[in-house]
Amino acid sequence: MAPTTTEGTSNGSAKPNNEEQQQQPAPSLFEIDDSDLTRLLEKPRPVNIERKRSFDERSFSEMSITMSPPRNNFYRMSENSSRAFDNLDGVYSPGRWTGTPRSGYFEPHPIVGDAWEALRRSMVNFRGQPVGTIAALDNSSEDLNYDQVFVRDFVPSALAFLMNGEPEIVKNFLLKTVFLQSREKKVDNFKLGEGVMPASFKVLHDPVRNIDTILADYGESAIGRVAPVDSGFWWIILLRAYTKSTGDTSLAEMPECQRGIRLIMTLCLSEGFDTFPTLLCADGCCMIDRRMGVYGYPIEIQALFFMALRCALLLLKRDCEGNDCIDRIVKRLHALSFHMRSYFWLDIKQLNDIYRYKTEEYSHTAVNKFNVIPDSLPDWVFDFMPTRGGYFIGNVSPAKMDFRWFCLGNCVAILSSLATPEQSSAIMDLIESRWGELVGEMPLKICYPAMESHEWRIVTGCDPKNTSWSYHNGGSWPVLIWLLTAACIKAGRPQIAKRAIELAESRLLMDQWPEYYDGKLGRFIGKQARKNQTWSIAGYLVAKMMLEDPSHLGMISLEEDKQMKPQMKRSASWVC
Ligand code: GLC
């Protein structure tokens, strides 16, 4: 691969330094001059941590949970103590610092203090300011790219910091990444879209000149050259979480952030040959960043797309440029919610309908619109589908339905209210009745079931990392527990999350916070799993904090938009 140049950046502000480029271990990565960002970071903007009705509450009805008073940085106290809670009289009870004796209903689990310490150790500084967390701090195995700050991996870290009243690192990260977005990005000779956000970045320290520089990867260094489609969506979702949590609207209102949102929207709302409102992607474009048969219209991307569209709607200013974008978002949201709720949804009734589908139907009257051949229904799905319950399937496109269950997409569907309240309850019912398969001994299966033998060979290209019930192919990922917890609280079923968290905390510290577990029940530490994987640590902390104080949910959840109701009937798509 030809070395990438940093010359000709889109805003002309990057000053490539050849000397530094030569010293860099990975010449294909982009070097960034961050003087602009440093200037911004040095100019502190007032952050109002006080809880007040944040701006998106104006447009969406509030949760019934009463908001808590401002939080203290309780967990900051753990910095110099291995057990954060041992010597404290005042306790952090759900949502408030009481200063009174420990209340009976919240006893922090002993591993919480260790988790905070591990999370703080993973913090990455840029010119003296924290800007993210490293993917894994595991010295026992090769770094590969685990020494980078991944956008998607930072989300649970960011939420943990926000929930603990420490928004600075999140603000720095959001600014840092929006600057990285504005650089020119190329894979070989091909220029990527302006709105593309990096998958990850790395801070390099030059001890001679005592200066930090940033290298970002937009897919041009990634294994398989996969495109980080989810990064931009997570960035918007996190910007809204920051705004909601702090009440500080000034960050989102900055012209740089407004432009960042618009560029991401331009990328994914552009017109093309598409016949569906869902977003067409190549394989490996999200958390599952290897070939796993998720190409087409993967549920993870569609759910994140939907959530990002809704967050963008809340964050965009109603000015000339914003208004045009807003109009397009509103139209897309309507089409997308109809499409997803109708065609991606599977329950026993829908399964039975597909089982009896006629094929080769033409015209608007077709019932089997995508010409799915009933013989393509896999055997396992008949056993997996409970009488009560349902879920959004993995993918829908012409003659293709991927019936696999994917955890992230279904949880985000609940959080974004892409799922109707009935669908959210049905997803919870499914998790409860398929507990052994989806949770087993370690939460949580990234997807279910695993592909085996011939299918594994064809679909993954014989990937030795994605063998059956390992890694992305049916492995169990502790990070997903924060998404499950948030979804459970939103759906009014927190006891499901509590059960899962208890399972996780019985092993996570002892096993040194693995990245993933292997086996049908998730009983084994993953064969190539990193230890001290930051998002396993942060995911656990976020889950704990949310369960203890459900008002935290507001920063990562969106109430149902009444305008998207009533749900249209399946057969009504041509008259909507
Ligand atoms: C693996 C995961 C990806 C994650 C990265 C860093 O590649 O598949 O989702 O971002 O590791 O932890």
Side-chain angles (χ1 to χ4, degrees):
M1 183 183 166
T4 320
T5 170
T6 57
E7 279 168 343
T9 55
S10 53
N11 63 5
S13 60
K15 298 181 209 83
N17 179 322
N18 291 335
E19 193 189 309
E20 269 176 17
Q21 258 179 355
Q22 278 157 21
Q23 289 168 2
Q24 282 154 14
S28 65
L29 293 170
F30 297 94
E31 184 198 341
I32 306 296
D33 182 318
D34 293 274
S35 49
D36 296 346
L37 176 71
T38 312
R39 240 186 304 116
L40 268 161
L41 292 179
E42 278 165 4
K43 196 169 57 184
R45 283 160 187 274
V47 177
N48 183 4
I49 308 283
E50 213 177 289
R51 284 221 169 251
K52 59 181 184 186
R53 275 172 66 82
S54 64
F55 72 128
D56 52 330
E57 289 167 63
R58 280 178 250 143
S59 3
F60 289 95
S61 57
E62 255 316 304
M63 293 177 55
S64 52
I65 301 164
T66 40
M67 297 302 278
S68 325
R71 286 172 191 82
N72 275 285
N73 301 338
F74 175 64
Y75 293 109
R76 260 189 186 161
M77 296 176 179
S78 70
E79 272 170 20
N80 302 316
S81 140
S82 58
R83 285 284 180 278
F85 310 97
D86 284 350
N87 306 314
L88 293 168
D89 289 326
V91 280
Y92 179 77
S93 68
R96 60 193 169 265
W97 174 262
T98 61
T100 52
R102 186 167 288 195
S103 62
Y105 61 96
F106 169 48
E107 283 291 331
H109 195 278
I111 76 170
V112 168
D114 294 82
W116 271 107
E117 283 186 5
L119 181 60
R120 293 195 192 287
R121 275 197 298 275
S122 75
M123 283 164 80
V124 172
N125 282 345
F126 172 75
R127 299 184 187 172
Q129 309 252 16
V131 288
T133 50
I134 199 169
L137 261 177
D138 183 354
N139 302 325
S140 64
S141 47
E142 205 191 338
D143 272 349
L144 287 178
N145 51 358
Y146 284 86
D147 60 351
Q148 309 225 357
V149 178
F150 277 76
V151 171
R152 71 175 75 85
D153 292 43
F154 181 65
V155 172
S157 300
L159 296 176
F161 288 121
L162 287 175
M163 288 175 188
N164 200 38
E166 298 176 65
E168 303 80 10
I169 184 172
V170 183
K171 181 179 184 175
N172 296 345
F173 170 88
L174 288 164
L175 281 170
K176 165 65 55 200
T177 39
V178 85
F179 271 88
L180 294 173
Q181 181 201 38
S182 71
R183 309 298 161 180
E184 190 182 69
K185 297 146 277 205
K186 270 188 178 175
V187 176
D188 294 335
N189 297 319
F190 183 61
K191 191 165 169 263
L192 305 186
E194 259 196 283
V196 173
M197 281 275 183
S200 61
F201 65 85
K202 183 174 178 168
V203 176
L204 293 174
H205 182 69
D206 178 344
V208 180
R209 294 167 61 215
N210 194 24
I211 193 155
D212 289 342
T213 47
I214 289 256
L215 294 172
D217 171 39
Y218 302 83
E220 83 286 4
S221 296
I223 297 168
R225 302 292 180 262
V226 285
V229 180
D230 61 341
S231 281
F233 298 150
W234 279 123
W235 184 84
I236 293 176
I237 293 166
L238 191 56
L239 180 59
R240 184 259 171 185
Y242 168 89
T243 311
K244 173 97 179 170
S245 155
T246 60
D248 168 26
T249 56
S250 67
L251 178 66
E253 283 168 1
M254 281 171 62
E256 292 84 351
C257 289
Q258 290 289 309
R259 181 170 179 271
I261 301 171
R262 285 197 308 269
L263 284 178
I264 297 167
M265 291 294 110
T266 305
L267 259 188
C268 57
L269 295 176
S270 61
E271 289 173 2
F273 290 105
D274 302 302
T275 45
F276 311 131
T278 34
L279 197 64
L280 184 60
C281 306
D283 223 335
C285 54
C286 49
M287 177 184 179
I288 297 180
D289 55 0
R290 293 167 83 93
R291 182 173 155 191
M292 262 290 290
V294 293
Y295 63 92
Y297 303 90
I299 179 65
E300 174 169 340
I301 290 295
Q302 311 315 319
L304 287 172
F305 179 31
F306 182 86
M307 183 140 186
L309 287 174
R310 288 200 62 196
C311 290
L313 209 51
L314 298 167
L315 295 166
L316 277 170
K317 280 189 178 170
R318 266 70 182 155
D319 54 18
C320 203
E321 287 164 305
N323 280 342
D324 176 49
C325 204
I326 287 167
D327 285 349
R328 292 160 68 201
I329 293 173
V330 170
K331 286 190 186 121
R332 190 63 170 257
L333 274 171
H334 273 275
L336 185 60
S337 59
F338 170 74
H339 185 93
M340 296 297 300
R341 289 171 182 180
S342 309
Y343 306 128
F344 275 65
W345 183 252
L346 192 73
D347 54 16
I348 195 133
K349 154 117 191 16
Q350 176 64 4
L351 179 59
N352 207 157
D353 288 350
I354 299 171
Y355 177 67
R356 290 165 51 81
Y357 264 169
K358 290 195 199 64
T359 58
E360 314 303 325
E361 293 172 296
Y362 181 74
S363 173
H364 294 177
T365 52
V367 176
N368 179 6
K369 292 190 175 128
F370 307 107
N371 201 33
V372 174
I373 316 295
D375 265 356
S376 69
L377 276 160
D379 291 343
W380 62 264
V381 77
F382 295 97
D383 298 328
F384 182 66
M385 183 58 75
T387 314
R388 258 170 73 106
Y391 63 104
F392 290 99
I393 62 171
N395 223 307
V396 177
S397 61
K400 176 184 172 185
M401 278 185 147
D402 179 348
F403 292 94
R404 281 176 293 173
W405 148 271
F406 289 88
C407 177
L408 198 155
N410 275 278
C411 290
V412 173
I414 294 177
L415 293 175
S416 61
S417 291
L418 169 60
T420 62
E422 297 73 28
Q423 286 173 331
S424 298
S425 296
I427 294 171
M428 289 293 139
D429 290 339
L430 177 106
I431 294 173
E432 267 194 320
S433 51
R434 293 293 169 254
W435 188 260
E437 289 87 342
L438 302 179
V439 183
E441 293 188 19
M442 175 55 70
L444 210 62
K445 283 272 170 269
I446 190 168
C447 71
Y448 180 89
M451 288 176 289
E452 300 182 72
S453 54
H454 183 62
E455 196 186 10
W456 164 78
R457 271 192 289 278
I458 301 297
V459 177
T460 73
C462 302
D463 188 343
K465 219 173 160 184
N466 275 332
T467 50
S468 309
W469 306 109
S470 181
Y471 200 43
H472 301 137
N473 189 10
S476 304
W477 291 65
V479 59
L480 295 170
I481 208 163
W482 81 262
L483 280 157
L484 175 77
T485 304
C488 287
I489 298 172
K490 172 102 188 274
R493 311 272 281 270
Q495 67 285 1
I496 298 182
K498 190 164 176 282
R499 235 177 114 190
I501 292 172
E502 278 165 12
L503 270 176
E505 63 195 358
S506 68
R507 287 194 58 183
L508 282 180
L509 177 64
M510 196 171 70
D511 294 345
Q512 295 168 21
W513 307 99
E515 181 186 14
Y516 63 95
Y517 285 78
D518 284 357
K520 272 195 181 170
L521 293 173
R523 292 177 64 204
F524 304 96
I525 299 174
K527 62 183 162 191
Q528 290 191 45
R530 292 293 183 289
K531 298 283 184 70
N532 292 310
Q533 180 80 22
T534 304
W535 69 358
S536 300
I537 299 164
Y540 167 72
L541 285 173
V542 171
K544 283 296 268 190
M545 284 190 278
M546 264 190 303
L547 208 56
E548 282 152 14
D549 179 0
S551 75
H552 287 310
L553 177 68
M555 68 174 91
I556 198 67
S557 152
L558 296 166
E559 285 304 288
E560 201 180 10
D561 184 351
K562 300 287 181 272
Q563 286 180 347
M564 277 184 224
K565 289 181 103 180
Q567 195 193 351
M568 286 169 277
K569 287 226 169 66
R570 192 176 306 280
S571 55
S573 65
W574 289 100
V575 289
C576 65

